[in-house]
Amino acid sequence: MKYQIRVNRTAHSNLPQIDFDNLSFGRYFSDHMFVAEYREGKWQDLRIEPLSEFATHPATMALHYGQAVFEGMKASKSHDGRPMLFRPQMHAKRLNFSARRLAMPAFPEDLFVEAIHLLVGIDAGWIPPKKGSALYIRPFMYATDPFVGVRPSQTYRFVIFTCPVGPYYPKPVSLLAETHYIRAARGGTGEAKAAGNYAAAMLPAQLANEKGYDQVLWLDAQEFKYIQEVGTMNIFFVIDGKVITPNPEEEGTILRGITRDSILHILRDEGYTVEERRISIDEVVAAHEQGKLEEVFGTGTAAVVAQVYKIAYEDKEMVLPPISECRVGPFAKSYIDDLRAGLRADKFGWVEPVQLPQSVDA
Ligand code: COI
């Protein structure tokens, strides 16, 4: 361990109250959190302490100007009970990619990983034992200056808390392709995991829900033609045996999903034909009309892989084959679940055993 992280353990664990067989997503919180403060140009006051509220000045800049970025990652238990992390370094890098876009300071990547090992090690009992469930890890950073003018904050707080979770989407989902609102335009913040991106998507998502759809399928901001992503996931189409997904690096408007990246590696390695390229909603409609749209699925840390059963676009509604007839999405999901459970050889080197703390000071 390179960093000095103070540890203050709770005297009253809430673990006995948790029912691991009835976990909904994001409602239950583990005992501890990691906190660091950015002051005078450096990260300091590194600590793990009992999860608690923060006092908030009414002028806290994040609340007014939205300098807030976050990550979502997962810890799981292997079949023989060992706590495991999935690609933590990738999440550290992506947090800093997001922070840079919002003129926030970088958080040291090795400290990010070390803090997660220590926190998850301390709260390892909170990792649900069931395959498919996980300990969701939420690192985030926000501006803390009490200041009313518009400029980057000079102080920030970085926090990691964790939640035992079941599946984000327990059932296949329906999508409404959005033709009025946009999520992201080139040059904007769409490829950052910025809190404000989610705020801007709330109203369209609410309107889609009122029309009976689970989520919005976002189209590009210029022509409302090219598919970007779903509010909570990246998106994959299987057309005539080929797996097609938009390319975040080319578009500059799409979140660089780590589950997306993992699934691309897995599918290529398994011999699937995979294309990372622009795909228009018209191409999807045409494939559906020709009976070539075999499946659609979303990928994300929270969702892992969520099969799509229906997509609406203008006056058309495309109903997709039932999950029992889908092979790519279910295969990708079970591959990732098996990797996380240590039931499949980790040929990509993505799964990292949690370094359990030797001793902790009170
Ligand atoms: C994740 O998949 O981790 C996300 O951050 C999506 C979130 C909306 C739950």
Side-chain angles (χ1 to χ4, degrees):
M1 299 273 166
K2 175 171 158 197
Y3 291 92
Q4 286 290 326
I5 302 175
R6 291 192 323 274
V7 176
N8 171 17
R9 281 188 183 236
T10 183
H12 306 284
S13 173
N14 289 317
L15 190 52
Q17 276 95 62
I18 285 291
D19 175 1
F20 283 131
D21 291 323
N22 287 297
L23 291 173
S24 54
F25 195 96
R27 285 187 196 283
Y28 308 104
F29 301 94
S30 318
D31 285 331
H32 298 92
M33 62 182 178
F34 170 84
V35 188
E37 312 286 349
Y38 186 82
R39 289 191 293 260
E40 285 129 25
K42 62 176 200 286
W43 288 102
Q44 47 191 289
D45 201 5
L46 316 178
R47 58 203 195 266
I48 286 180
E49 57 192 27
L51 185 87
S52 67
E53 293 169 4
F54 294 111
T56 306
H57 191 286
T60 296
M61 287 188 78
L63 298 181
H64 300 264
Y65 309 121
Q67 269 188 301
V69 295
F70 70 97
E71 271 305 307
M73 53 180 286
K74 277 179 175 166
S76 52
K77 260 197 185 139
S78 66
H79 63 102
D80 52 359
R82 283 172 305 136
M84 319 284 264
L85 299 175
F86 192 75
R87 308 189 77 181
Q89 290 81 5
M90 282 282 279
H91 288 277
K93 282 194 186 347
R94 193 174 62 174
L95 179 96
N96 284 338
F97 177 81
S98 303
R100 163 98 189 108
R101 179 62 185 82
L102 270 70
M104 300 167 83
F107 191 79
E109 290 173 16
D110 54 352
L111 174 56
F112 178 105
V113 174
E114 188 172 320
I116 287 177
H117 273 276
L118 190 57
L119 182 66
V120 174
I122 287 172
D123 279 338
W126 287 83
I127 306 173
K130 244 205 228 147
K131 197 170 142 195
S133 296
L135 188 70
Y136 186 79
I137 304 169
R138 174 53 64 85
F140 67 105
M141 189 201 297
Y142 66 101
T144 49
D145 274 10
F147 183 68
V148 178
V150 179
R151 53 128 175 95
S153 178
Q154 288 160 358
T155 62
Y156 295 85
R157 181 171 286 140
F158 173 85
V159 185
I160 311 171
F161 66 83
T162 67
C163 308
V165 296
Y168 194 82
Y169 293 116
K171 295 194 304 244
V173 297
S174 57
L175 307 179
L176 175 64
E178 176 59 63
T179 53
H180 177 69
Y181 295 103
I182 61 157
R183 175 184 175 276
R186 200 182 275 272
T189 59
E191 58 181 351
K193 209 160 170 61
N197 291 340
Y198 293 80
M202 298 274 178
L203 175 66
Q206 197 176 48
L207 298 174
N209 292 160
E210 282 165 20
K211 291 181 189 152
Y213 298 93
D214 296 308
Q215 273 292 336
V216 172
L217 177 62
W218 294 106
L219 303 178
D220 79 275
Q222 279 82 34
E223 300 176 68
F224 286 99
K225 181 172 172 180
Y226 295 104
I227 292 166
Q228 293 183 332
E229 62 173 89
V230 177
T232 46
M233 308 184 280
N234 293 114
I235 187 94
F236 285 72
F237 298 87
V238 184
I239 298 180
D240 206 12
K242 289 189 192 128
V243 184
I244 305 165
T245 186
N247 187 337
E249 285 175 31
E250 246 169 58
E251 298 295 332
T253 52
I254 299 172
L255 193 79
R256 298 174 182 210
I258 291 162
T259 307
R260 171 191 179 278
D261 178 78
S262 308
I263 286 174
L264 285 174
H265 276 89
I266 292 166
L267 294 180
R268 286 193 171 120
D269 186 61
E270 291 287 322
Y272 285 89
T273 307
V274 178
E275 296 178 359
E276 281 183 272
R277 63 161 171 87
R278 287 202 131 183
I279 175 162
S280 70
I281 188 72
D282 300 328
E283 179 178 347
V284 173
V285 171
H288 184 257
E289 283 168 358
Q290 292 158 17
K292 293 183 178 167
L293 182 59
E294 291 159 17
E295 63 181 283
V296 180
F297 57 91
T299 66
T301 297
V304 190
V305 175
Q307 220 65 31
V308 174
Y309 73 90
K310 188 166 77 175
I311 303 178
Y313 171 59
E314 294 180 329
D315 55 352
K316 300 171 200 55
E317 203 166 66
M318 296 171 265
V319 176
L320 294 150
I323 196 160
S324 55
E325 288 173 26
C326 297
R327 59 189 181 106
V328 187
F331 166 73
K333 178 171 182 343
S334 75
Y335 194 115
I336 297 227
D337 284 347
D338 284 352
L339 261 184
R340 287 204 170 119
L343 292 169
R344 196 180 255 277
D346 179 22
K347 65 200 290 187
F348 303 102
W350 292 335
V351 181
E352 193 166 304
V354 172
Q355 292 155 24
L356 294 170
Q358 307 278 308
S359 65
V360 283
D361 44 299

